Amino acid sequence: MVEAAALPTPWQVRFQAGDHESIADTLKAGIGGSAGMRPHELLEAALATCMTISARMALADLGVTDAEVGVRVHLEREESTTRFRYELLLAPELEAHRPMLIEHIACSPVRSTLSKPLVFEPA
Protein backbone atom coordinates (compact mmCIF):
# COMPACT_ATOMS: atom_id res chain seq x y z
CA MET A 1 0.00 0.00 0.00
CA VAL A 2 1.17 3.52 -0.77
CA GLU A 3 -0.11 6.56 1.07
CA ALA A 4 0.19 10.08 -0.33
CA ALA A 5 -0.26 13.48 1.31
CA ALA A 6 -0.22 16.97 -0.19
CA LEU A 7 2.66 19.23 0.84
CA PRO A 8 2.40 23.04 1.27
CA THR A 9 4.25 23.72 -2.01
CA PRO A 10 1.79 23.60 -4.94
CA TRP A 11 1.44 20.16 -6.49
CA GLN A 12 4.12 18.50 -4.34
CA VAL A 13 3.06 15.25 -2.70
CA ARG A 14 4.92 13.09 -0.21
CA PHE A 15 4.27 9.41 -0.68
CA GLN A 16 5.27 6.52 1.49
CA ALA A 17 5.30 2.73 1.35
CA GLY A 18 6.46 1.20 4.60
CA ASP A 19 9.78 2.77 5.58
CA HIS A 20 10.36 4.23 2.10
CA GLU A 21 9.35 7.79 1.32
CA SER A 22 9.72 10.16 -1.63
CA ILE A 23 8.21 13.24 -3.25
CA ALA A 24 6.21 13.54 -6.45
CA ASP A 25 5.66 16.86 -8.16
CA THR A 26 4.35 18.32 -11.39
CA LEU A 27 4.22 21.59 -13.27
CA LYS A 28 0.82 22.74 -14.53
CA ALA A 29 0.04 26.15 -16.03
CA GLY A 30 3.32 27.56 -14.72
CA ILE A 31 2.62 26.45 -11.15
CA GLY A 32 4.46 23.65 -9.38
CA GLY A 33 7.91 22.34 -9.91
CA SER A 34 10.26 19.43 -10.32
CA ALA A 35 11.13 18.39 -6.77
CA GLY A 36 10.22 14.80 -7.61
CA MET A 37 9.01 12.52 -10.34
CA ARG A 38 5.71 13.30 -12.03
CA PRO A 39 2.90 10.78 -11.40
CA HIS A 40 3.10 9.30 -14.92
CA GLU A 41 6.86 8.92 -14.51
CA LEU A 42 6.13 6.82 -11.42
CA LEU A 43 4.12 4.46 -13.64
CA GLU A 44 7.05 4.28 -16.06
CA ALA A 45 9.40 3.67 -13.12
CA ALA A 46 7.24 0.83 -11.77
CA LEU A 47 7.39 -1.00 -15.09
CA ALA A 48 11.06 -0.24 -15.81
CA THR A 49 12.25 -1.33 -12.37
CA CYS A 50 10.20 -4.53 -12.39
CA MET A 51 11.39 -5.49 -15.87
CA THR A 52 15.00 -4.77 -14.89
CA ILE A 53 14.65 -6.96 -11.79
CA SER A 54 13.11 -9.73 -13.93
CA ALA A 55 16.01 -9.54 -16.41
CA ARG A 56 18.59 -9.53 -13.64
CA MET A 57 16.98 -12.57 -11.99
CA ALA A 58 16.99 -14.45 -15.31
CA LEU A 59 20.69 -13.66 -15.74
CA ALA A 60 21.41 -14.74 -12.16
CA ASP A 61 19.80 -18.11 -12.95
CA LEU A 62 22.46 -18.44 -15.66
CA GLY A 63 25.20 -17.58 -13.17
CA VAL A 64 25.64 -14.04 -14.51
CA THR A 65 25.86 -11.75 -11.48
CA ASP A 66 26.41 -8.01 -11.31
CA ALA A 67 25.05 -7.74 -14.86
CA GLU A 68 24.86 -4.45 -16.73
CA VAL A 69 21.19 -4.59 -17.62
CA GLY A 70 18.40 -2.04 -17.63
CA VAL A 71 15.08 -1.16 -19.19
CA ARG A 72 13.92 2.19 -20.56
CA VAL A 73 10.15 2.83 -20.54
CA HIS A 74 8.20 5.61 -22.21
CA LEU A 75 4.48 6.08 -21.53
CA GLU A 76 2.36 7.43 -24.38
CA ARG A 77 -1.09 8.64 -23.44
CA GLU A 78 -3.34 8.56 -26.48
CA GLU A 79 -7.06 9.26 -26.82
CA SER A 80 -8.16 5.62 -26.60
CA THR A 81 -4.96 3.79 -25.66
CA THR A 82 -2.23 4.00 -23.08
CA ARG A 83 0.95 2.64 -24.61
CA PHE A 84 4.08 1.58 -22.73
CA ARG A 85 7.11 1.38 -25.03
CA TYR A 86 10.09 -0.38 -23.51
CA GLU A 87 13.66 -1.11 -24.51
CA LEU A 88 16.02 -3.67 -22.98
CA LEU A 89 19.46 -2.15 -22.36
CA LEU A 90 22.32 -4.66 -22.22
CA ALA A 91 26.07 -4.63 -21.98
CA PRO A 92 27.56 -5.90 -25.28
CA GLU A 93 28.78 -9.14 -23.71
CA LEU A 94 25.19 -10.02 -22.74
CA GLU A 95 23.65 -9.60 -26.22
CA ALA A 96 23.56 -13.38 -26.75
CA HIS A 97 20.98 -13.52 -23.93
CA ARG A 98 18.68 -10.83 -25.42
CA PRO A 99 15.97 -13.19 -26.81
CA MET A 100 15.65 -15.02 -23.49
CA LEU A 101 15.61 -11.75 -21.53
CA ILE A 102 12.94 -10.25 -23.79
CA GLU A 103 10.74 -13.25 -22.95
CA HIS A 104 11.36 -12.81 -19.22
CA ILE A 105 10.64 -9.09 -19.11
CA ALA A 106 7.46 -9.61 -21.14
CA CYS A 107 6.19 -11.70 -18.21
CA SER A 108 7.33 -9.36 -15.43
CA PRO A 109 4.84 -8.98 -12.57
CA VAL A 110 4.12 -5.27 -13.11
CA ARG A 111 3.58 -5.78 -16.84
CA SER A 112 1.20 -8.64 -16.03
CA THR A 113 -0.66 -6.40 -13.59
CA LEU A 114 -0.92 -3.49 -16.04
CA SER A 115 -2.06 -5.82 -18.84
CA LYS A 116 -5.23 -6.84 -17.03
CA PRO A 117 -8.41 -4.76 -17.03
CA LEU A 118 -8.19 -2.08 -14.35
CA VAL A 119 -10.93 -1.30 -11.86
CA PHE A 120 -10.89 1.83 -9.69
CA GLU A 121 -13.15 1.97 -6.64
CA PRO A 122 -13.20 3.80 -3.31
CA ALA A 123 -12.23 1.74 -0.29
Side-chain angles (χ1 to χ4, degrees), residues 37-49:
M37 294 172 69
R38 296 178 359 229
H40 284 96
E41 291 170 334
L42 293 169
L43 288 171
E44 291 168 331
L47 184 58
T49 56

Side-chain angles (χ1 to χ4, degrees), residues 3-16 21-26 31-37 42:
E3 187 173 322
L7 295 174
T9 302
W11 318 157
Q12 283 186 7
V13 174
R14 182 187 74 250
F15 62 95
Q16 181 175 358
E21 181 178 304
S22 192
I23 291 177
D25 198 358
T26 197
I31 300 171
S34 59
M37 294 172 69
L42 293 169

Side-chain angles (χ1 to χ4, degrees), residues 96-115:
H97 301 295
R98 180 175 290 277
M100 177 272 296
L101 293 172
I102 291 290
E103 286 182 29
H104 273 79
I105 68 174
C107 300
S108 68
V110 170
R111 180 176 173 184
S112 296
T113 298
L114 291 172
S115 296

